[in-house]
Amino acid sequence: MRGSDVISVRDLGREGLERVFAETDRIAAMPEAERRRLCAGRSLGYLFFEPSTRTRLSFEAAMASVGGTSLGIADSATSSAQKGESLADMVRIMSMYTDALVLRHPLDGSSRFAAEVSDRPVINGGSGTEEHPTQAIQDLYTMRRERGRIDGLTVGIVGDLKYGRTVYSLLHALGNYDVKVHLVSPESLRIRPESVYEIRKRLDLAESTSLGDCIDELDVVYVTRVQRERFPDSEEYQRVRGSYVVGTDMLQKMRRGAIVMHPLPRLDEISTEVDSTPAARYFEQARNGMRTRAALLALILADGGP
Ligand code: NCD
């Protein structure tokens, strides 16, 4: 994986995903001094053209945990993008200053484009409504850790399946495993058929508008935020927000040992009373974001890594 771009989770396949999981576990067991040598002397650049809390900060924390440094632009309004500088030029410049680059951008295809102009590996930190591959890595790592395996699971993905990019990366990642998936959304936020055309051949996908109808079959309930910023019409957003709320009443209908996940930020789709229950795994999932990103950086940047 040394020197590779991570643009789509499809580039990794099952083998790549499991390599990152194994590296995550290997790093967790390392003495701190050894861990801090993995990316010593290396730097990570970030260019974020959309808001972020976890993705950017967990990349920074991950890079520090393996001994590297980070620099970048968290708010494009304070960069030369404001003066009209092109994405291509910004990426070219960042690739002179750093050893790898994480990009978040509102346009589909932005990371693929950045990888073409960058001399350094590019990691997609979220591109439009298309993909968010490092989120899917932490999502599957969390399922594997919490449920012991991924094969054999029944996963419900709930909420904004039309605009949620984490959903598409998650489906592509799950497509490498033997899982059953229930897609639950309001009618107007159904999965984009053209984006799952290929996955349908590999994944057992069922679609519905009612979480209550399948809740007792699920091992993982993966809840997503309705992506207000992607709605062309704010009235439509008002109509569908709050369509699903996972509260303690829902937990009672869940299978024993089933877990609730969410890429975060959470608005009101999971009530805060769920947070203190054993099913709530979304904060652990965010912690795994830092761990799996450290492993990914070590695999991409470390000298003589596996
Ligand atoms: C997600 C994103 O940016 O797509 N956030 C994240 O990185 N965890 C999900 C979201 O914004 O709803």
Side-chain angles (χ1 to χ4, degrees), residues 54-55 104 132 135 165-166 225 227 263-265:
R54 273 150 295 270
T55 303
R104 170 169 289 192
H132 191 350
Q135 179 69 46
R165 57 190 168 206
T166 66
R225 172 179 72 91
Q227 310 277 298
L264 304 178

Side-chain angles (χ1 to χ4, degrees), residues 53-216:
T53 303
R54 273 150 295 270
T55 303
R56 190 177 63 76
L57 294 179
S58 67
F59 261 113
E60 259 194 84
M63 193 58 177
S65 76
V66 288
T69 55
S70 310
L71 67 138
I73 286 159
D75 173 8
S76 58
T78 63
S79 77
S80 289
Q82 194 62 20
K83 301 180 188 168
E85 188 168 34
S86 69
L87 175 63
D89 282 1
M90 290 178 78
V91 168
R92 268 187 207 110
I93 298 302
M94 278 306 267
S95 75
M96 292 173 193
Y97 299 161
T98 58
D99 298 306
L101 180 61
V102 185
L103 176 72
R104 170 169 289 192
H105 195 280
L107 287 180
D108 290 6
S110 48
S111 281
R112 179 95 45 210
F113 170 71
E116 279 167 23
V117 294
S118 171
D119 298 331
R120 307 288 187 174
V122 172
I123 303 171
N124 180 357
S127 51
T129 58
E130 177 190 50
E131 273 226 45
H132 191 350
T134 61
Q135 179 69 46
I137 294 172
Q138 83 196 54
D139 296 345
L140 264 69
Y141 180 81
T142 303
M143 290 179 198
R144 173 182 166 274
R145 218 180 134 100
E146 298 294 331
R147 300 301 314 250
R149 67 197 155 82
I150 298 167
D151 283 319
L153 292 178
T154 301
V155 180
I157 310 180
V158 184
D160 186 347
L161 309 185
K162 181 174 183 182
Y163 297 118
R165 57 190 168 206
T166 66
V167 172
Y168 292 89
S169 288
L170 179 60
L171 286 171
H172 286 300
L174 288 174
N176 296 298
Y177 294 85
D178 177 22
V179 293
K180 188 168 169 28
V181 176
H182 283 274
L183 299 172
V184 182
S185 71
E187 199 58 47
S188 62
L189 296 182
R190 282 173 66 169
I191 202 91
R192 302 189 302 268
E194 69 281 10
S195 303
V196 290
Y197 178 75
E198 269 177 61
I199 307 176
R200 275 189 199 285
K201 298 179 198 154
R202 284 185 289 141
L203 264 185
D204 182 356
L205 287 183
E207 285 187 67
S208 109
T209 55
S210 160
L211 179 57
D213 286 355
C214 62
I215 189 84
D216 58 347

Side-chain angles (χ1 to χ4, degrees), residues 142-143 146-147 215 218-223 246-262 266 270-285:
T142 303
M143 290 179 198
E146 298 294 331
R147 300 301 314 250
I215 189 84
L218 306 178
D219 300 302
V220 176
V221 183
Y222 188 102
V223 187
V246 174
T248 44
D249 53 330
M250 269 297 173
L251 294 190
Q252 263 140 38
K253 297 183 187 148
M254 278 167 37
R255 275 184 176 174
R256 256 182 75 130
I259 58 170
V260 179
M261 294 176 61
H262 192 306
R266 167 245 328 243
I270 301 177
S271 52
T272 49
E273 63 199 28
V274 174
D275 297 359
S276 55
T277 69
R281 303 322 292 158
Y282 29 93
F283 295 124
E284 195 54 26
Q285 185 183 352

